[in-house]
Each structure stands twice: as C-alpha cells, then as structure tokens.
Amino acid sequence: MQKHSDRLRNQGDRIGFVPTMGFLHEGHLSLMRQARVDNHALVVSIFVNPTQFGPDEDYDSYPTDLEKDASLCRETGCDILFTPGTDEMYPENNVTKVSVAGLTETLCGASRPGHFDGVTTVVSKLFNIVSPHMAYFGLKDYQQYRVISKMVQDLNMNIQIVGLPTIREEDGLAMSSRNAYLYDDERSGALTLSRSLDSAREMVREGIRDPRAIEDKVAGIIKSEPTTRIDYVSVVNADDLGPLSTIEDRALLAMAVFVGDARLIDNAVLEINTD
Ligand code: AMP
C-alpha cells in the first residue's frame, strides 16, 4: 500500500481516503463519491479493528461481505481497496497507542472505555500507510469526526479531514452496518432515534433552550418503544462536547440506544435560527 501511495504521490496525484469497517452501505458510498470528486485517486480500507471494541461488544459477530463490498467499491470508482489482516496491523510486539484527551471523555467515550484510543491508533496507522491528502468521515459518528480532526491538528498530520452528512433510510433510520442486527419487530424501536431528533429540532424552533428539557423529551420518545434501552441521550457543547446549561447558538444532541442486540447511535446539531 505504501508503495502504491508513493507512486501516486510521485506522479502528482491527490489521494482521497475512506476508512471503513466494511459491510458497505450508502453512507460509506456517499463518502467515496465525494472523495472521488475531490481527488485523483480513491483508496478505501476495510478493517474491522479489534482494539476499538470492548470485551463484551460485537467484534466477533460484526457483519462482513467482502465480495459485495469489493464490487460496490469497483462501481463507485475506487482505485485501491486496502484490506489488511489483523496480524499485519497489530504484530505481536506492538506497544504504541495514540490517545486524544478531553473530547473522548464524554458520550461514547464514557460508555465505551478505550474505544477512541482504538480508533485514533488505527486511523493513525492507516494514515501512515495510505498517506492520503484528504480523508472522509461521516458525521453520523460526530464524536469520532471531532476526535480525528483534533488528532490531525495536534499531531501536525498534513491531511484534510472532511465530515459529511448522515445518510438515512427513507423512514429516517441512519444507515449503519449494525442495522443488520435488527429483527423486523425492532425496526419501530430503531426509528425512535431519528423521530426524537426531529422532535428536538421542533422544540428548539419553539424556543426551548434548556438542554435537560430536550433530553427528557427525547428519552421519553425512545422509551415509549419496549425494544429500546438507552445508553445515553445528551445535549452538549457542539465544539468541545462538554456539558451545557443552556443552548445559546448551537448544541449537539447525541444518543446511543440499544435496540435488541444492536447498539445504534445518532445525533443532530441543534441550531438556533437567528434570521
Ligand atoms: P464504519 O464502517 O461504520 O466504521 O464507518 C466508516 C465511515 O462511514 C465512518 O466515517 C462513518 O462515520 C461513515 N458512516 C457510517 N454510516 C454512515 C451514514 N449513515 N452516513 C454517513 N456516513 C456514515
């Protein structure tokens, strides 16, 4: 991979990079399409990274379909599909980690200890291997996008990080490889996430500025479905992801909810329209 990137860079090509864990859907493809437009070459990686999963999480059952992923990559104009093995990424004697403080202490960082260290370490390694000019991330994983942007800034990585909007199913459910875990009767539980985001936006439009009132309303909507179990629902500062006592101009509403076996996340940036 490094030789391919050297060759591309030596001929003056800009490299766009989309790191994924595979089982590709329209969310991934939207990142790939934008990367395709912005760059001469598109590299996609598929690597289910063990170090970002906790011991009781779904690493062993994470869905895969490499053949289908490869044909989607081909159709979307991907030049290189990079699928390293776990032993190659983590040889036995490796002892180095990349860790971002602060931003990783709230939301998913609080409920998944070590998760973001796994993410920042593997993304750093992938960046060093692929040497992209630009790398694309989905705002569905808003905290991840913020953490990676901070890492790139703090470590002087010469890579432009692009965050792109969440792609949803027609009924509003944010696309996710983990939606494959949902049974038919869990679908209505899963839809409470996007429905509750709409309801929060409506509250802000109506002039409500109290983060706790919004969290309560959102939690109520999610709990109205018996298949759901809330991990967290939080309205936080959209920049540092820290606590917020009142919404002044914008805030992040982020949530993680178990629906059956699936842990789903979703979020919305709540903006106060001052026009
Ligand atoms: P994953 O394979 O879940 O690790 O995701 C790989 C990349 O795709 C990450 O940058 C995600 O934020 C992004 N992504 C996943 N789902 C969506 C979605 N529904 N819309 C936009 N981007 C997404």
Side-chain angles (χ1 to χ4, degrees):
M1 184 64 241
Q2 279 170 330
K3 276 190 195 141
H4 281 299
S5 290
D6 280 352
R7 183 179 47 81
L8 289 166
R9 280 183 166 259
N10 285 338
Q11 66 195 36
D13 284 354
R14 290 184 62 79
I15 302 172
F17 178 41
V18 178
T20 81
M21 297 206 299
F23 212 66
L24 303 179
H25 51 67
E26 272 300 315
H28 300 111
L29 300 188
S30 71
L31 305 181
M32 290 160 59
R33 288 192 193 104
Q34 188 61 48
R36 183 66 279 170
V37 169
D38 296 342
N39 301 277
H40 301 106
L42 167 58
V43 179
V44 175
S45 66
I46 296 181
F47 179 62
V48 183
N49 173 37
T51 66
Q52 71 189 68
F53 289 80
D56 300 325
E57 294 183 354
D58 55 345
Y59 175 66
D60 290 326
S61 54
Y62 198 82
T64 59
D65 188 344
L66 191 53
E67 223 166 288
K68 183 169 172 220
D69 288 350
S71 66
L72 286 171
C73 285
R74 228 173 271 124
E75 285 163 24
T76 316
C78 165
D79 298 287
I80 300 176
L81 174 58
F82 178 54
T83 61
T86 311
D87 297 347
E88 284 173 290
M89 287 299 278
Y90 297 108
E92 241 169 54
N93 56 354
N94 89 90
V95 290
T96 307
K97 273 187 194 170
V98 177
S99 184
V100 172
L103 283 174
T104 58
E105 283 154 27
T106 61
L107 309 177
C108 285
S111 51
R112 303 181 72 188
H115 166 70
F116 282 114
D117 286 359
V119 170
T120 44
T121 301
V122 81
V123 170
S124 300
K125 288 165 70 71
L126 290 168
F127 282 177
N128 286 332
I129 296 166
V130 174
S131 302
H133 295 81
M134 301 177 80
Y136 297 77
F137 293 86
L139 294 177
K140 198 201 86 157
D141 299 270
Y142 187 93
Q143 187 173 20
Q144 171 172 278
Y145 163 73
R146 299 279 312 160
V147 166
I148 286 171
S149 301
K150 188 80 178 101
M151 170 185 87
V152 163
Q153 184 188 17
D154 286 357
L155 295 182
N156 310 89
M157 295 178 173
N158 193 13
I159 301 170
Q160 190 181 333
I161 302 299
V162 181
L164 294 175
T166 302
I167 304 296
R168 299 177 180 280
E169 305 280 0
E170 243 167 62
D171 59 11
L173 179 65
M175 288 195 181
S176 164
S177 308
R178 289 189 167 100
N179 293 348
Y181 300 143
L182 295 171
Y183 290 101
D184 289 347
D185 61 334
E186 289 166 347
R187 184 84 183 184
S188 56
L191 285 177
T192 58
L193 281 80
S194 55
R195 260 205 298 128
S196 72
L197 296 177
D198 291 339
S199 166
R201 284 194 201 92
E202 184 58 34
M203 287 175 85
V204 170
R205 262 196 301 275
E206 284 166 3
I208 294 165
R209 300 287 177 262
D210 174 11
R212 303 298 87 74
I214 294 172
E215 289 168 354
D216 288 349
K217 173 79 188 265
V218 163
I221 293 170
I222 294 168
K223 284 181 191 157
S224 70
E225 282 287 336
T227 52
T228 62
R229 181 166 59 82
I230 292 176
D231 180 356
Y232 67 79
V233 168
S234 299
V235 175
V236 295
N237 182 307
D239 298 318
D240 64 13
L241 312 185
L244 202 62
S245 55
T246 183
I247 303 176
E248 278 175 9
D249 48 357
R250 59 202 282 273
L252 174 73
L253 165 59
M255 59 185 65
V257 178
F258 289 95
V259 184
D261 290 337
R263 181 180 180 278
L264 305 180
I265 58 171
D266 208 340
N267 71 78
V269 175
L270 305 173
E271 274 174 298
I272 293 173
N273 197 341
T274 47
D275 294 348

